[in-house]
Amino acid sequence: MSGVISLAGSIFLQLYEGSYGTDYYLEKYGEGLFSNFNGMVAMCKWLGFILIILGCIVWVFGKKTEGPKLKELQDCRNKKLDERIIALHGVAPGMELE
């Protein structure tokens, strides 16, 4: 999500500041990262791409390693939830009434 926001922010800044962004930021900040408008926007863009790629890699890795365990926990949770509902109401959703 941070990568998407960074990438969107770089596009927005480029459109919002337009042609006067370079001069404005140089005048306003004088030196450092914020004074280099094009460098700042490029950094946001590249960091956004890197964060998106890293996020996808972590998501795929997590899906492969944690997926079966999450499925097992989901099934267990559903059984416990059904038992609680039956204890309170005598019937759980999806069960036929007797």
Side-chain angles (χ1 to χ4, degrees):
M1 195 64 184
S2 296
V4 171
I5 291 171
S6 178
L7 188 59
S10 70
I11 294 169
F12 174 76
L13 259 176
Q14 193 70 40
L15 294 173
Y16 183 75
E17 296 293 342
S19 61
Y20 63 88
T22 306
D23 297 332
Y24 171 76
Y25 281 87
L26 181 60
E27 180 183 321
K28 179 78 173 172
Y29 294 103
E31 61 183 49
L33 176 65
F34 290 131
S35 66
N36 183 356
F37 177 73
N38 293 327
M40 180 178 59
V41 170
M43 186 184 77
C44 287
K45 179 175 60 174
W46 288 109
L47 280 176
F49 282 131
I50 291 168
L51 288 173
I52 289 170
I53 291 169
L54 285 176
C56 289
I57 290 169
V58 168
W59 181 76
V60 168
F61 183 73
K63 194 82 163 159
K64 287 185 179 185
T65 58
E66 300 295 325
K69 184 64 176 172
L70 289 174
K71 178 68 174 146
E72 179 184 321
L73 290 172
Q74 181 70 25
D75 292 341
C76 180
R77 186 201 63 83
N78 287 340
K79 289 177 188 173
K80 289 181 181 179
L81 182 61
D82 285 347
E83 290 171 2
R84 289 181 191 152
I85 291 172
I86 290 170
L88 289 172
H89 302 287
V91 67
M95 292 179 61
E96 294 184 28
L97 293 175
E98 298 174 3

mmCIF file with all atom_site columns, all heavy atoms in Angstrom, residues 39-67:
data_model
loop_
_atom_site.group_PDB
_atom_site.id
_atom_site.type_symbol
_atom_site.label_atom_id
_atom_site.label_alt_id
_atom_site.label_comp_id
_atom_site.label_asym_id
_atom_site.label_entity_id
_atom_site.label_seq_id
_atom_site.pdbx_PDB_ins_code
_atom_site.Cartn_x
_atom_site.Cartn_y
_atom_site.Cartn_z
_atom_site.occupancy
_atom_site.B_iso_or_equiv
_atom_site.pdbx_formal_charge
_atom_site.auth_seq_id
_atom_site.auth_comp_id
_atom_site.auth_asym_id
_atom_site.auth_atom_id
_atom_site.pdbx_PDB_model_num
ATOM 1   N N   . GLY A 1 39 ? 14.387 15.265  -8.509  1.00 0.00 ? 39 GLY A N   1
ATOM 2   C CA  . GLY A 1 39 ? 14.968 14.163  -7.748  1.00 0.00 ? 39 GLY A CA  1
ATOM 3   C C   . GLY A 1 39 ? 14.004 13.614  -6.722  1.00 0.00 ? 39 GLY A C   1
ATOM 4   O O   . GLY A 1 39 ? 13.925 12.403  -6.503  1.00 0.00 ? 39 GLY A O   1
ATOM 5   N N   . MET A 1 40 ? 13.263 14.506  -6.081  1.00 0.00 ? 40 MET A N   1
ATOM 6   C CA  . MET A 1 40 ? 12.289 14.097  -5.083  1.00 0.00 ? 40 MET A CA  1
ATOM 7   C C   . MET A 1 40 ? 11.169 13.266  -5.723  1.00 0.00 ? 40 MET A C   1
ATOM 8   O O   . MET A 1 40 ? 10.789 12.213  -5.203  1.00 0.00 ? 40 MET A O   1
ATOM 9   C CB  . MET A 1 40 ? 11.695 15.336  -4.401  1.00 0.00 ? 40 MET A CB  1
ATOM 10  C CG  . MET A 1 40 ? 10.668 15.056  -3.353  1.00 0.00 ? 40 MET A CG  1
ATOM 11  S SD  . MET A 1 40 ? 10.056 16.545  -2.543  1.00 0.00 ? 40 MET A SD  1
ATOM 12  C CE  . MET A 1 40 ? 9.395  17.480  -3.903  1.00 0.00 ? 40 MET A CE  1
ATOM 13  N N   . VAL A 1 41 ? 10.676 13.713  -6.860  1.00 0.00 ? 41 VAL A N   1
ATOM 14  C CA  . VAL A 1 41 ? 9.607  12.990  -7.549  1.00 0.00 ? 41 VAL A CA  1
ATOM 15  C C   . VAL A 1 41 ? 10.126 11.649  -8.063  1.00 0.00 ? 41 VAL A C   1
ATOM 16  O O   . VAL A 1 41 ? 9.447  10.626  -7.951  1.00 0.00 ? 41 VAL A O   1
ATOM 17  C CB  . VAL A 1 41 ? 9.024  13.850  -8.699  1.00 0.00 ? 41 VAL A CB  1
ATOM 18  C CG1 . VAL A 1 41 ? 8.102  13.040  -9.572  1.00 0.00 ? 41 VAL A CG1 1
ATOM 19  C CG2 . VAL A 1 41 ? 8.300  15.049  -8.126  1.00 0.00 ? 41 VAL A CG2 1
ATOM 20  N N   . ALA A 1 42 ? 11.357 11.634  -8.601  1.00 0.00 ? 42 ALA A N   1
ATOM 21  C CA  . ALA A 1 42 ? 11.935 10.386  -9.098  1.00 0.00 ? 42 ALA A CA  1
ATOM 22  C C   . ALA A 1 42 ? 12.140 9.392   -7.950  1.00 0.00 ? 42 ALA A C   1
ATOM 23  O O   . ALA A 1 42 ? 11.901 8.191   -8.097  1.00 0.00 ? 42 ALA A O   1
ATOM 24  C CB  . ALA A 1 42 ? 13.253 10.662  -9.806  1.00 0.00 ? 42 ALA A CB  1
ATOM 25  N N   . MET A 1 43 ? 12.582 9.887   -6.799  1.00 0.00 ? 43 MET A N   1
ATOM 26  C CA  . MET A 1 43 ? 12.780 9.023   -5.649  1.00 0.00 ? 43 MET A CA  1
ATOM 27  C C   . MET A 1 43 ? 11.448 8.408   -5.206  1.00 0.00 ? 43 MET A C   1
ATOM 28  O O   . MET A 1 43 ? 11.367 7.214   -4.922  1.00 0.00 ? 43 MET A O   1
ATOM 29  C CB  . MET A 1 43 ? 13.405 9.790   -4.487  1.00 0.00 ? 43 MET A CB  1
ATOM 30  C CG  . MET A 1 43 ? 13.760 8.903   -3.326  1.00 0.00 ? 43 MET A CG  1
ATOM 31  S SD  . MET A 1 43 ? 14.390 9.793   -1.915  1.00 0.00 ? 43 MET A SD  1
ATOM 32  C CE  . MET A 1 43 ? 12.887 10.457  -1.242  1.00 0.00 ? 43 MET A CE  1
ATOM 33  N N   . CYS A 1 44 ? 10.399 9.212   -5.150  1.00 0.00 ? 44 CYS A N   1
ATOM 34  C CA  . CYS A 1 44 ? 9.079  8.690   -4.785  1.00 0.00 ? 44 CYS A CA  1
ATOM 35  C C   . CYS A 1 44 ? 8.614  7.635   -5.778  1.00 0.00 ? 44 CYS A C   1
ATOM 36  O O   . CYS A 1 44 ? 8.064  6.600   -5.390  1.00 0.00 ? 44 CYS A O   1
ATOM 37  C CB  . CYS A 1 44 ? 8.057  9.817   -4.710  1.00 0.00 ? 44 CYS A CB  1
ATOM 38  S SG  . CYS A 1 44 ? 8.234  10.878  -3.280  1.00 0.00 ? 44 CYS A SG  1
ATOM 39  N N   . LYS A 1 45 ? 8.845  7.894   -7.060  1.00 0.00 ? 45 LYS A N   1
ATOM 40  C CA  . LYS A 1 45 ? 8.422  6.955   -8.100  1.00 0.00 ? 45 LYS A CA  1
ATOM 41  C C   . LYS A 1 45 ? 9.168  5.633   -7.967  1.00 0.00 ? 45 LYS A C   1
ATOM 42  O O   . LYS A 1 45 ? 8.547  4.568   -7.943  1.00 0.00 ? 45 LYS A O   1
ATOM 43  C CB  . LYS A 1 45 ? 8.661  7.561   -9.476  1.00 0.00 ? 45 LYS A CB  1
ATOM 44  C CG  . LYS A 1 45 ? 8.283  6.639   -10.620 1.00 0.00 ? 45 LYS A CG  1
ATOM 45  C CD  . LYS A 1 45 ? 8.407  7.301   -11.970 1.00 0.00 ? 45 LYS A CD  1
ATOM 46  C CE  . LYS A 1 45 ? 9.831  7.734   -12.204 1.00 0.00 ? 45 LYS A CE  1
ATOM 47  N NZ  . LYS A 1 45 ? 10.087 8.255   -13.538 1.00 0.00 ? 45 LYS A NZ  1
ATOM 48  N N   . TRP A 1 46 ? 10.495 5.677   -7.855  1.00 0.00 ? 46 TRP A N   1
ATOM 49  C CA  . TRP A 1 46 ? 11.272 4.444   -7.789  1.00 0.00 ? 46 TRP A CA  1
ATOM 50  C C   . TRP A 1 46 ? 11.056 3.700   -6.476  1.00 0.00 ? 46 TRP A C   1
ATOM 51  O O   . TRP A 1 46 ? 10.995 2.461   -6.463  1.00 0.00 ? 46 TRP A O   1
ATOM 52  C CB  . TRP A 1 46 ? 12.750 4.723   -8.033  1.00 0.00 ? 46 TRP A CB  1
ATOM 53  C CG  . TRP A 1 46 ? 12.993 5.046   -9.479  1.00 0.00 ? 46 TRP A CG  1
ATOM 54  C CD1 . TRP A 1 46 ? 13.320 6.255   -10.003 1.00 0.00 ? 46 TRP A CD1 1
ATOM 55  C CD2 . TRP A 1 46 ? 12.862 4.152   -10.582 1.00 0.00 ? 46 TRP A CD2 1
ATOM 56  N NE1 . TRP A 1 46 ? 13.403 6.167   -11.370 1.00 0.00 ? 46 TRP A NE1 1
ATOM 57  C CE2 . TRP A 1 46 ? 13.137 4.880   -11.754 1.00 0.00 ? 46 TRP A CE2 1
ATOM 58  C CE3 . TRP A 1 46 ? 12.549 2.806   -10.700 1.00 0.00 ? 46 TRP A CE3 1
ATOM 59  C CZ2 . TRP A 1 46 ? 13.100 4.313   -13.013 1.00 0.00 ? 46 TRP A CZ2 1
ATOM 60  C CZ3 . TRP A 1 46 ? 12.515 2.232   -11.965 1.00 0.00 ? 46 TRP A CZ3 1
ATOM 61  C CH2 . TRP A 1 46 ? 12.795 2.981   -13.100 1.00 0.00 ? 46 TRP A CH2 1
ATOM 62  N N   . LEU A 1 47 ? 10.938 4.422   -5.383  1.00 0.00 ? 47 LEU A N   1
ATOM 63  C CA  . LEU A 1 47 ? 10.630 3.751   -4.119  1.00 0.00 ? 47 LEU A CA  1
ATOM 64  C C   . LEU A 1 47 ? 9.240  3.106   -4.164  1.00 0.00 ? 47 LEU A C   1
ATOM 65  O O   . LEU A 1 47 ? 9.031  2.037   -3.603  1.00 0.00 ? 47 LEU A O   1
ATOM 66  C CB  . LEU A 1 47 ? 10.715 4.725   -2.953  1.00 0.00 ? 47 LEU A CB  1
ATOM 67  C CG  . LEU A 1 47 ? 12.120 5.016   -2.452  1.00 0.00 ? 47 LEU A CG  1
ATOM 68  C CD1 . LEU A 1 47 ? 12.083 6.084   -1.362  1.00 0.00 ? 47 LEU A CD1 1
ATOM 69  C CD2 . LEU A 1 47 ? 12.793 3.770   -1.941  1.00 0.00 ? 47 LEU A CD2 1
ATOM 70  N N   . GLY A 1 48 ? 8.306  3.762   -4.846  1.00 0.00 ? 48 GLY A N   1
ATOM 71  C CA  . GLY A 1 48 ? 6.976  3.173   -5.014  1.00 0.00 ? 48 GLY A CA  1
ATOM 72  C C   . GLY A 1 48 ? 7.039  1.867   -5.777  1.00 0.00 ? 48 GLY A C   1
ATOM 73  O O   . GLY A 1 48 ? 6.433  0.864   -5.374  1.00 0.00 ? 48 GLY A O   1
ATOM 74  N N   . PHE A 1 49 ? 7.790  1.843   -6.883  1.00 0.00 ? 49 PHE A N   1
ATOM 75  C CA  . PHE A 1 49 ? 7.949  0.606   -7.653  1.00 0.00 ? 49 PHE A CA  1
ATOM 76  C C   . PHE A 1 49 ? 8.599  -0.490  -6.813  1.00 0.00 ? 49 PHE A C   1
ATOM 77  O O   . PHE A 1 49 ? 8.146  -1.634  -6.803  1.00 0.00 ? 49 PHE A O   1
ATOM 78  C CB  . PHE A 1 49 ? 8.803  0.842   -8.912  1.00 0.00 ? 49 PHE A CB  1
ATOM 79  C CG  . PHE A 1 49 ? 8.062  1.511   -10.030 1.00 0.00 ? 49 PHE A CG  1
ATOM 80  C CD1 . PHE A 1 49 ? 8.621  2.599   -10.667 1.00 0.00 ? 49 PHE A CD1 1
ATOM 81  C CD2 . PHE A 1 49 ? 6.834  1.052   -10.466 1.00 0.00 ? 49 PHE A CD2 1
ATOM 82  C CE1 . PHE A 1 49 ? 7.964  3.222   -11.715 1.00 0.00 ? 49 PHE A CE1 1
ATOM 83  C CE2 . PHE A 1 49 ? 6.162  1.665   -11.501 1.00 0.00 ? 49 PHE A CE2 1
ATOM 84  C CZ  . PHE A 1 49 ? 6.732  2.756   -12.130 1.00 0.00 ? 49 PHE A CZ  1
ATOM 85  N N   . ILE A 1 50 ? 9.656  -0.131  -6.092  1.00 0.00 ? 50 ILE A N   1
ATOM 86  C CA  . ILE A 1 50 ? 10.360 -1.115  -5.261  1.00 0.00 ? 50 ILE A CA  1
ATOM 87  C C   . ILE A 1 50 ? 9.451  -1.668  -4.176  1.00 0.00 ? 50 ILE A C   1
ATOM 88  O O   . ILE A 1 50 ? 9.404  -2.884  -3.946  1.00 0.00 ? 50 ILE A O   1
ATOM 89  C CB  . ILE A 1 50 ? 11.640 -0.489  -4.660  1.00 0.00 ? 50 ILE A CB  1
ATOM 90  C CG1 . ILE A 1 50 ? 12.657 -0.231  -5.768  1.00 0.00 ? 50 ILE A CG1 1
ATOM 91  C CG2 . ILE A 1 50 ? 12.221 -1.369  -3.573  1.00 0.00 ? 50 ILE A CG2 1
ATOM 92  C CD1 . ILE A 1 50 ? 13.828 0.632   -5.347  1.00 0.00 ? 50 ILE A CD1 1
ATOM 93  N N   . LEU A 1 51 ? 8.697  -0.800  -3.517  1.00 0.00 ? 51 LEU A N   1
ATOM 94  C CA  . LEU A 1 51 ? 7.796  -1.258  -2.452  1.00 0.00 ? 51 LEU A CA  1
ATOM 95  C C   . LEU A 1 51 ? 6.665  -2.129  -2.992  1.00 0.00 ? 51 LEU A C   1
ATOM 96  O O   . LEU A 1 51 ? 6.255  -3.093  -2.333  1.00 0.00 ? 51 LEU A O   1
ATOM 97  C CB  . LEU A 1 51 ? 7.239  -0.069  -1.681  1.00 0.00 ? 51 LEU A CB  1
ATOM 98  C CG  . LEU A 1 51 ? 8.230  0.647   -0.772  1.00 0.00 ? 51 LEU A CG  1
ATOM 99  C CD1 . LEU A 1 51 ? 7.597  1.915   -0.195  1.00 0.00 ? 51 LEU A CD1 1
ATOM 100 C CD2 . LEU A 1 51 ? 8.700  -0.258  0.335   1.00 0.00 ? 51 LEU A CD2 1
ATOM 101 N N   . ILE A 1 52 ? 6.164  -1.807  -4.167  1.00 0.00 ? 52 ILE A N   1
ATOM 102 C CA  . ILE A 1 52 ? 5.117  -2.644  -4.782  1.00 0.00 ? 52 ILE A CA  1
ATOM 103 C C   . ILE A 1 52 ? 5.674  -4.026  -5.090  1.00 0.00 ? 52 ILE A C   1
ATOM 104 O O   . ILE A 1 52 ? 5.034  -5.050  -4.799  1.00 0.00 ? 52 ILE A O   1
ATOM 105 C CB  . ILE A 1 52 ? 4.542  -1.967  -6.039  1.00 0.00 ? 52 ILE A CB  1
ATOM 106 C CG1 . ILE A 1 52 ? 3.703  -0.754  -5.646  1.00 0.00 ? 52 ILE A CG1 1
ATOM 107 C CG2 . ILE A 1 52 ? 3.707  -2.952  -6.853  1.00 0.00 ? 52 ILE A CG2 1
ATOM 108 C CD1 . ILE A 1 52 ? 3.287  0.118   -6.811  1.00 0.00 ? 52 ILE A CD1 1
ATOM 109 N N   . ILE A 1 53 ? 6.869  -4.089  -5.670  1.00 0.00 ? 53 ILE A N   1
ATOM 110 C CA  . ILE A 1 53 ? 7.471  -5.375  -6.002  1.00 0.00 ? 53 ILE A CA  1
ATOM 111 C C   . ILE A 1 53 ? 7.760  -6.181  -4.741  1.00 0.00 ? 53 ILE A C   1
ATOM 112 O O   . ILE A 1 53 ? 7.448  -7.377  -4.671  1.00 0.00 ? 53 ILE A O   1
ATOM 113 C CB  . ILE A 1 53 ? 8.748  -5.161  -6.850  1.00 0.00 ? 53 ILE A CB  1
ATOM 114 C CG1 . ILE A 1 53 ? 8.363  -4.640  -8.235  1.00 0.00 ? 53 ILE A CG1 1
ATOM 115 C CG2 . ILE A 1 53 ? 9.565  -6.448  -6.960  1.00 0.00 ? 53 ILE A CG2 1
ATOM 116 C CD1 . ILE A 1 53 ? 9.524  -4.140  -9.059  1.00 0.00 ? 53 ILE A CD1 1
ATOM 117 N N   . LEU A 1 54 ? 8.335  -5.534  -3.725  1.00 0.00 ? 54 LEU A N   1
ATOM 118 C CA  . LEU A 1 54 ? 8.604  -6.240  -2.466  1.00 0.00 ? 54 LEU A CA  1
ATOM 119 C C   . LEU A 1 54 ? 7.314  -6.719  -1.806  1.00 0.00 ? 54 LEU A C   1
ATOM 120 O O   . LEU A 1 54 ? 7.262  -7.823  -1.259  1.00 0.00 ? 54 LEU A O   1
ATOM 121 C CB  . LEU A 1 54 ? 9.377  -5.337  -1.506  1.00 0.00 ? 54 LEU A CB  1
ATOM 122 C CG  . LEU A 1 54 ? 10.852 -5.124  -1.823  1.00 0.00 ? 54 LEU A CG  1
ATOM 123 C CD1 . LEU A 1 54 ? 11.463 -4.126  -0.851  1.00 0.00 ? 54 LEU A CD1 1
ATOM 124 C CD2 . LEU A 1 54 ? 11.605 -6.428  -1.783  1.00 0.00 ? 54 LEU A CD2 1
ATOM 125 N N   . GLY A 1 55 ? 6.284  -5.903  -1.858  1.00 0.00 ? 55 GLY A N   1
ATOM 126 C CA  . GLY A 1 55 ? 5.001  -6.303  -1.290  1.00 0.00 ? 55 GLY A CA  1
ATOM 127 C C   . GLY A 1 55 ? 4.414  -7.516  -1.992  1.00 0.00 ? 55 GLY A C   1
ATOM 128 O O   . GLY A 1 55 ? 3.882  -8.419  -1.340  1.00 0.00 ? 55 GLY A O   1
ATOM 129 N N   . CYS A 1 56 ? 4.531  -7.557  -3.307  1.00 0.00 ? 56 CYS A N   1
ATOM 130 C CA  . CYS A 1 56 ? 4.035  -8.715  -4.064  1.00 0.00 ? 56 CYS A CA  1
ATOM 131 C C   . CYS A 1 56 ? 4.829  -9.972  -3.724  1.00 0.00 ? 56 CYS A C   1
ATOM 132 O O   . CYS A 1 56 ? 4.256  -11.048 -3.572  1.00 0.00 ? 56 CYS A O   1
ATOM 133 C CB  . CYS A 1 56 ? 4.096  -8.440  -5.567  1.00 0.00 ? 56 CYS A CB  1
ATOM 134 S SG  . CYS A 1 56 ? 2.896  -7.230  -6.120  1.00 0.00 ? 56 CYS A SG  1
ATOM 135 N N   . ILE A 1 57 ? 6.152  -9.837  -3.597  1.00 0.00 ? 57 ILE A N   1
ATOM 136 C CA  . ILE A 1 57 ? 6.991  -10.987 -3.255  1.00 0.00 ? 57 ILE A CA  1
ATOM 137 C C   . ILE A 1 57 ? 6.625  -11.517 -1.866  1.00 0.00 ? 57 ILE A C   1
ATOM 138 O O   . ILE A 1 57 ? 6.454  -12.726 -1.673  1.00 0.00 ? 57 ILE A O   1
ATOM 139 C CB  . ILE A 1 57 ? 8.484  -10.613 -3.321  1.00 0.00 ? 57 ILE A CB  1
ATOM 140 C CG1 . ILE A 1 57 ? 8.899  -10.390 -4.774  1.00 0.00 ? 57 ILE A CG1 1
ATOM 141 C CG2 . ILE A 1 57 ? 9.358  -11.681 -2.675  1.00 0.00 ? 57 ILE A CG2 1
ATOM 142 C CD1 . ILE A 1 57 ? 10.276 -9.774  -4.937  1.00 0.00 ? 57 ILE A CD1 1
ATOM 143 N N   . VAL A 1 58 ? 6.475  -10.632 -0.901  1.00 0.00 ? 58 VAL A N   1
ATOM 144 C CA  . VAL A 1 58 ? 6.118  -11.046 0.458   1.00 0.00 ? 58 VAL A CA  1
ATOM 145 C C   . VAL A 1 58 ? 4.727  -11.676 0.475   1.00 0.00 ? 58 VAL A C   1
ATOM 146 O O   . VAL A 1 58 ? 4.493  -12.677 1.153   1.00 0.00 ? 58 VAL A O   1
ATOM 147 C CB  . VAL A 1 58 ? 6.207  -9.848  1.430   1.00 0.00 ? 58 VAL A CB  1
ATOM 148 C CG1 . VAL A 1 58 ? 5.573  -10.162 2.768   1.00 0.00 ? 58 VAL A CG1 1
ATOM 149 C CG2 . VAL A 1 58 ? 7.645  -9.422  1.597   1.00 0.00 ? 58 VAL A CG2 1
ATOM 150 N N   . TRP A 1 59 ? 3.804  -11.124 -0.288  1.00 0.00 ? 59 TRP A N   1
ATOM 151 C CA  . TRP A 1 59 ? 2.444  -11.671 -0.333  1.00 0.00 ? 59 TRP A CA  1
ATOM 152 C C   . TRP A 1 59 ? 2.439  -13.086 -0.908  1.00 0.00 ? 59 TRP A C   1
ATOM 153 O O   . TRP A 1 59 ? 1.810  -13.988 -0.351  1.00 0.00 ? 59 TRP A O   1
ATOM 154 C CB  . TRP A 1 59 ? 1.540  -10.751 -1.150  1.00 0.00 ? 59 TRP A CB  1
ATOM 155 C CG  . TRP A 1 59 ? 0.129  -11.224 -1.222  1.00 0.00 ? 59 TRP A CG  1
ATOM 156 C CD1 . TRP A 1 59 ? -0.815 -11.147 -0.240  1.00 0.00 ? 59 TRP A CD1 1
ATOM 157 C CD2 . TRP A 1 59 ? -0.495 -11.868 -2.331  1.00 0.00 ? 59 TRP A CD2 1
ATOM 158 N NE1 . TRP A 1 59 ? -1.998 -11.691 -0.678  1.00 0.00 ? 59 TRP A NE1 1
ATOM 159 C CE2 . TRP A 1 59 ? -1.821 -12.133 -1.964  1.00 0.00 ? 59 TRP A CE2 1
ATOM 160 C CE3 . TRP A 1 59 ? -0.066 -12.216 -3.591  1.00 0.00 ? 59 TRP A CE3 1
ATOM 161 C CZ2 . TRP A 1 59 ? -2.702 -12.762 -2.817  1.00 0.00 ? 59 TRP A CZ2 1
ATOM 162 C CZ3 . TRP A 1 59 ? -0.951 -12.840 -4.441  1.00 0.00 ? 59 TRP A CZ3 1
ATOM 163 C CH2 . TRP A 1 59 ? -2.260 -13.108 -4.052  1.00 0.00 ? 59 TRP A CH2 1
ATOM 164 N N   . VAL A 1 60 ? 3.165  -13.287 -2.035  1.00 0.00 ? 60 VAL A N   1
ATOM 165 C CA  . VAL A 1 60 ? 3.225  -14.619 -2.653  1.00 0.00 ? 60 VAL A CA  1
ATOM 166 C C   . VAL A 1 60 ? 3.912  -15.604 -1.716  1.00 0.00 ? 60 VAL A C   1
ATOM 167 O O   . VAL A 1 60 ? 3.429  -16.729 -1.523  1.00 0.00 ? 60 VAL A O   1
ATOM 168 C CB  . VAL A 1 60 ? 3.950  -14.550 -4.020  1.00 0.00 ? 60 VAL A CB  1
ATOM 169 C CG1 . VAL A 1 60 ? 4.293  -15.939 -4.536  1.00 0.00 ? 60 VAL A CG1 1
ATOM 170 C CG2 . VAL A 1 60 ? 3.100  -13.811 -5.030  1.00 0.00 ? 60 VAL A CG2 1
ATOM 171 N N   . PHE A 1 61 ? 5.017  -15.208 -1.110  1.00 0.00 ? 61 PHE A N   1
ATOM 172 C CA  . PHE A 1 61 ? 5.733  -16.075 -0.173  1.00 0.00 ? 61 PHE A CA  1
ATOM 173 C C   . PHE A 1 61 ? 4.843  -16.430 1.018   1.00 0.00 ? 61 PHE A C   1
ATOM 174 O O   . PHE A 1 61 ? 4.778  -17.587 1.429   1.00 0.00 ? 61 PHE A O   1
ATOM 175 C CB  . PHE A 1 61 ? 7.018  -15.391 0.287   1.00 0.00 ? 61 PHE A CB  1
ATOM 176 C CG  . PHE A 1 61 ? 7.848  -16.226 1.200   1.00 0.00 ? 61 PHE A CG  1
ATOM 177 C CD1 . PHE A 1 61 ? 8.558  -17.308 0.725   1.00 0.00 ? 61 PHE A CD1 1
ATOM 178 C CD2 . PHE A 1 61 ? 7.914  -15.927 2.551   1.00 0.00 ? 61 PHE A CD2 1
ATOM 179 C CE1 . PHE A 1 61 ? 9.323  -18.091 1.577   1.00 0.00 ? 61 PHE A CE1 1
ATOM 180 C CE2 . PHE A 1 61 ? 8.671  -16.696 3.412   1.00 0.00 ? 61 PHE A CE2 1
ATOM 181 C CZ  . PHE A 1 61 ? 9.378  -17.781 2.925   1.00 0.00 ? 61 PHE A CZ  1
ATOM 182 N N   . GLY A 1 62 ? 4.164  -15.449 1.565   1.00 0.00 ? 62 GLY A N   1
ATOM 183 C CA  . GLY A 1 62 ? 3.273  -15.699 2.691   1.00 0.00 ? 62 GLY A CA  1
ATOM 184 C C   . GLY A 1 62 ? 2.107  -16.587 2.325   1.00 0.00 ? 62 GLY A C   1
ATOM 185 O O   . GLY A 1 62 ? 1.669  -17.426 3.118   1.00 0.00 ? 62 GLY A O   1
ATOM 186 N N   . LYS A 1 63 ? 1.583  -16.406 1.126   1.00 0.00 ? 63 LYS A N   1
ATOM 187 C CA  . LYS A 1 63 ? 0.462  -17.221 0.662   1.00 0.00 ? 63 LYS A CA  1
ATOM 188 C C   . LYS A 1 63 ? 0.873  -18.693 0.576   1.00 0.00 ? 63 LYS A C   1
ATOM 189 O O   . LYS A 1 63 ? 0.114  -19.583 0.951   1.00 0.00 ? 63 LYS A O   1
ATOM 190 C CB  . LYS A 1 63 ? 0.005  -16.705 -0.702  1.00 0.00 ? 63 LYS A CB  1
ATOM 191 C CG  . LYS A 1 63 ? -1.308 -17.219 -1.154  1.00 0.00 ? 63 LYS A CG  1
ATOM 192 C CD  . LYS A 1 63 ? -2.401 -16.431 -0.522  1.00 0.00 ? 63 LYS A CD  1
ATOM 193 C CE  . LYS A 1 63 ? -3.674 -16.664 -1.298  1.00 0.00 ? 63 LYS A CE  1
ATOM 194 N NZ  . LYS A 1 63 ? -4.829 -16.353 -0.522  1.00 0.00 ? 63 LYS A NZ  1
ATOM 195 N N   . LYS A 1 64 ? 2.100  -18.944 0.090   1.00 0.00 ? 64 LYS A N   1
ATOM 196 C CA  . LYS A 1 64 ? 2.567  -20.329 -0.050  1.00 0.00 ? 64 LYS A CA  1
ATOM 197 C C   . LYS A 1 64 ? 2.914  -20.949 1.295   1.00 0.00 ? 64 LYS A C   1
ATOM 198 O O   . LYS A 1 64 ? 2.658  -22.128 1.517   1.00 0.00 ? 64 LYS A O   1
ATOM 199 C CB  . LYS A 1 64 ? 3.789  -20.378 -0.970  1.00 0.00 ? 64 LYS A CB  1
ATOM 200 C CG  . LYS A 1 64 ? 3.443  -20.164 -2.411  1.00 0.00 ? 64 LYS A CG  1
ATOM 201 C CD  . LYS A 1 64 ? 4.645  -20.326 -3.303  1.00 0.00 ? 64 LYS A CD  1
ATOM 202 C CE  . LYS A 1 64 ? 4.229  -20.128 -4.748  1.00 0.00 ? 64 LYS A CE  1
ATOM 203 N NZ  . LYS A 1 64 ? 5.318  -20.379 -5.673  1.00 0.00 ? 64 LYS A NZ  1
ATOM 204 N N   . THR A 1 65 ? 3.502  -20.183 2.186   1.00 0.00 ? 65 THR A N   1
ATOM 205 C CA  . THR A 1 65 ? 3.938  -20.761 3.460   1.00 0.00 ? 65 THR A CA  1
ATOM 206 C C   . THR A 1 65 ? 2.845  -20.769 4.516   1.00 0.00 ? 65 THR A C   1
ATOM 207 O O   . THR A 1 65 ? 2.790  -21.686 5.332   1.00 0.00 ? 65 THR A O   1
ATOM 208 C CB  . THR A 1 65 ? 5.160  -20.005 4.006   1.00 0.00 ? 65 THR A CB  1
ATOM 209 O OG1 . THR A 1 65 ? 4.830  -18.631 4.172   1.00 0.00 ? 65 THR A OG1 1
ATOM 210 C CG2 . THR A 1 65 ? 6.345  -20.140 3.090   1.00 0.00 ? 65 THR A CG2 1
ATOM 211 N N   . GLU A 1 66 ? 1.982  -19.782 4.535   1.00 0.00 ? 66 GLU A N   1
ATOM 212 C CA  . GLU A 1 66 ? 0.974  -19.674 5.583   1.00 0.00 ? 66 GLU A CA  1
ATOM 213 C C   . GLU A 1 66 ? -0.424 -20.100 5.138   1.00 0.00 ? 66 GLU A C   1
ATOM 214 O O   . GLU A 1 66 ? -1.307 -20.237 5.972   1.00 0.00 ? 66 GLU A O   1
ATOM 215 C CB  . GLU A 1 66 ? 0.910  -18.227 6.094   1.00 0.00 ? 66 GLU A CB  1
ATOM 216 C CG  . GLU A 1 66 ? 2.215  -17.730 6.684   1.00 0.00 ? 66 GLU A CG  1
ATOM 217 C CD  . GLU A 1 66 ? 2.617  -18.486 7.935   1.00 0.00 ? 66 GLU A CD  1
ATOM 218 O OE1 . GLU A 1 66 ? 1.742  -18.886 8.713   1.00 0.00 ? 66 GLU A OE1 1
ATOM 219 O OE2 . GLU A 1 66 ? 3.825  -18.676 8.113   1.00 0.00 ? 66 GLU A OE2 1
ATOM 220 N N   . GLY A 1 67 ? -0.626 -20.297 3.838   1.00 0.00 ? 67 GLY A N   1
ATOM 221 C CA  . GLY A 1 67 ? -1.948 -20.638 3.321   1.00 0.00 ? 67 GLY A CA  1
ATOM 222 C C   . GLY A 1 67 ? -2.579 -21.866 3.942   1.00 0.00 ? 67 GLY A C   1
ATOM 223 O O   . GLY A 1 67 ? -3.724 -21.815 4.412   1.00 0.00 ? 67 GLY A O   1
#
